[in-house]
Amino acid sequence: DQQVKQNSPSLSVQEGRISILNCDYTNSMFDYFLWYKKYPAEGPTFLISISSIKDKNEDGRFTVFLNKSAKHLSLHIVPSQPGDSAVYFCAAERLYNQGGKLIFGQGTELSVKP
Amino acid sequence: NAGVTQTPKFQVLKTGQSMTLQCAQDMNHNSMYWYRQDPGMGLRLIYYSASEGTTDKGEVPNGYNVSRLNKREFSLRLESAAPSQTSVYFCASRTGTYGYTFGSGTRLTVV
């Protein structure tokens, strides 16, 4: 049972244009949603997050939108740069008294072409 | 450098061999995690430790054991390796709401 899904394995975008990465989830009890970026031979690094009580969070070129009724979130990168080329993972977390645990999607490989 | 350190970075095992993947963090984080990454599957949680002295199963615990040796160290053991355990393994630690820090990974091949 895949609770967090990224249905697009790859995305190719021209430099300077907008990149939109999508993610769907099934568990309405998630408290936070996060995006991680991963380069080859490195561990994932945190990019941006959004609380389940918000519908938008922005950090520089990165904006995450949350649509709870559709159980859908998206990451917008504007403008896209070649250095943004990486695998992007959507993740969700439900918090418990002793912390929580991240559930990841399958990842989307973004390629930004000069 | 502060962070999460995993050893070894690469390992080749024969089917049936055992090994332990080591993970240590120097950020005084309470919670630690082991994930595996497989093509098309994303990162899947194997085991986690919410605090020193506790461990719990994640999504794919079969074939693995863990030990939270102290607050810094969280090891993952494969008692009898199988080809299905060929993967890239990531250790992570966290503090706060979403302060996950990942190690650089261990690439394991079981032949």
Side-chain angles (χ1 to χ4, degrees):
Chain A
D1 178 25
Q2 189 84 27
Q3 295 188 62
V4 179
K5 297 181 183 179
Q6 294 174 257
N7 292 317
S8 298
S10 62
L11 175 68
S12 183
V13 171
Q14 206 69 28
E15 181 180 6
R17 306 294 293 268
I18 184 172
S19 296
I20 300 176
L21 295 90
N22 294 303
C23 179
D24 298 296
Y25 62 95
T26 58
N27 188 345
S28 59
M29 302 299 290
F30 286 131
D31 295 298
Y32 282 92
F33 302 90
L34 306 90
W35 285 94
Y36 279 78
K37 179 178 179 179
K38 186 184 178 305
Y39 293 115
E42 295 183 10
T45 55
F46 171 73
L47 187 59
I48 191 169
S49 67
I50 187 168
S51 164
S52 62
I53 63 173
K54 306 269 188 181
D55 54 20
K56 177 182 175 182
N57 187 28
E58 189 172 354
D59 184 1
R61 296 186 296 114
F62 303 92
T63 302
V64 57
F65 296 93
L66 176 62
N67 182 334
K68 283 183 290 184
S69 61
K71 293 190 176 68
H72 177 84
L73 65 155
S74 60
L75 174 68
H76 293 210
I77 306 173
V78 182
S80 301
Q81 300 173 354
D84 295 330
S85 297
V87 177
Y88 289 79
F89 289 100
C90 170
E93 180 174 47
R94 183 181 176 189
L95 297 176
Y96 300 89
N97 288 339
Q98 291 188 324
K101 48 186 179 180
L102 283 181
I103 305 297
F104 283 87
Q106 303 95 315
T108 297
E109 184 170 11
L110 174 65
S111 177
V112 180
K113 301 194 182 301
Chain B
N1 292 335
V4 178
T5 303
Q6 292 184 234
T7 55
K9 293 192 181 302
F10 301 94
Q11 184 72 48
V12 178
L13 289 179
K14 293 182 179 179
T15 298
Q17 285 186 318
S18 62
M19 79 161 295
T20 300
L21 281 65
Q22 306 288 351
C23 175
Q25 52 93 5
D26 57 6
M27 297 171 286
N28 203 35
H29 288 175
N30 287 323
S31 302
M32 298 186 73
Y33 305 80
W34 277 105
Y35 286 87
R36 60 178 288 175
Q37 183 193 4
D38 302 292
M41 302 293 288
L43 283 85
R44 292 181 293 169
L45 183 63
I46 305 171
Y47 270 93
Y48 67 103
S49 170
S51 61
E52 186 179 355
T54 68
T55 60
D56 284 289
K57 295 179 180 179
E59 302 168 78
V60 289
N62 291 342
Y64 305 96
N65 286 301
V66 290
S67 296
R68 183 74 184 266
L69 304 170
N70 47 56
K71 192 170 186 179
R72 289 188 64 247
E73 298 171 287
F74 188 38
S75 62
L76 178 71
R77 183 161 178 82
L78 287 71
E79 291 291 351
S80 179
S84 61
Q85 294 177 304
T86 292
S87 187
V88 182
Y89 291 84
F90 289 100
C91 177
S93 68
R94 65 90 58 89
T95 187
T97 304
Y98 45 76
Y100 283 78
T101 302
F102 284 83
S104 57
T106 295
R107 186 174 295 273
L108 175 68
T109 302
V110 183
V111 298

